[in-house]
Amino acid sequence: GGFVETFGALPKVLKPVDHEALELALKCDLHVLRELGLVDYSLLMAFHPKANRIRLAIIDFLQPYTLNKQLESTMKKLVQRHEPTIVEPVQYAKRFHEFIRKAFQAAVGSMEVM
């Protein structure tokens, strides 16, 4: 199953300090991935219920955005007539970051946190 099926409704609420650390780590990691021209990465989330902690990592088969990837993206767009999953590195990083921003938010007031 996917993220929502496994972990329930979004967004997941984090302590403000944890949310800030997540944003900083994402900013740095996605900058490196964009600069290296890499795509095809995913988010790994491990939840430890007893400790009420989560661990996040960017994983997967990091692939350069080559001519083959550009052709794959173009062909999928033409054939499937919707946005392909493989896009150029800047757009890929932006889409990945937007998902993370929707998936996690900082606690406000008395909100229950993970």
Side-chain angles (χ1 to χ4, degrees):
F3 186 93
V4 175
E5 292 85 11
T6 303
F7 295 102
L10 296 178
K12 295 300 178 193
V13 181
L14 305 175
K15 295 176 190 172
V17 67
D18 293 339
H19 187 265
E20 187 176 324
L22 174 61
E23 280 293 321
L24 179 60
L26 274 174
K27 180 180 176 184
C28 294
D29 290 352
L30 293 176
H31 174 76
V32 170
L33 292 168
R34 277 191 312 270
E35 290 295 312
L36 294 174
L38 297 174
V39 294
D40 281 356
Y41 43 88
S42 301
L43 179 72
L44 172 68
M45 181 173 135
F47 180 62
H48 304 283
K50 288 182 182 180
N52 199 30
R53 299 189 71 158
I54 60 169
R55 300 275 187 214
L56 301 172
I58 295 175
I59 63 159
D60 227 326
F61 190 73
L62 303 173
Q63 296 186 37
Y65 190 69
T66 61
L67 179 59
N68 285 343
K69 287 288 179 192
Q70 292 174 29
L71 291 172
E72 176 186 347
S73 179
T74 301
M75 290 305 295
K76 285 183 176 180
K77 193 173 188 175
L78 291 172
V79 172
Q80 297 173 355
R81 298 199 172 151
H82 60 78
E83 284 301 310
T85 56
I86 300 299
V87 294
E88 55 85 23
V90 171
Q91 187 178 355
Y92 196 94
K94 181 180 178 199
R95 183 177 65 192
F96 186 85
H97 197 195
E98 286 173 357
F99 171 77
I100 301 301
R101 282 188 171 152
K102 290 177 184 174
F104 299 97
Q105 75 176 40
V108 177
S110 62
M111 293 174 81
E112 189 175 324
V113 299
M114 286 190 77

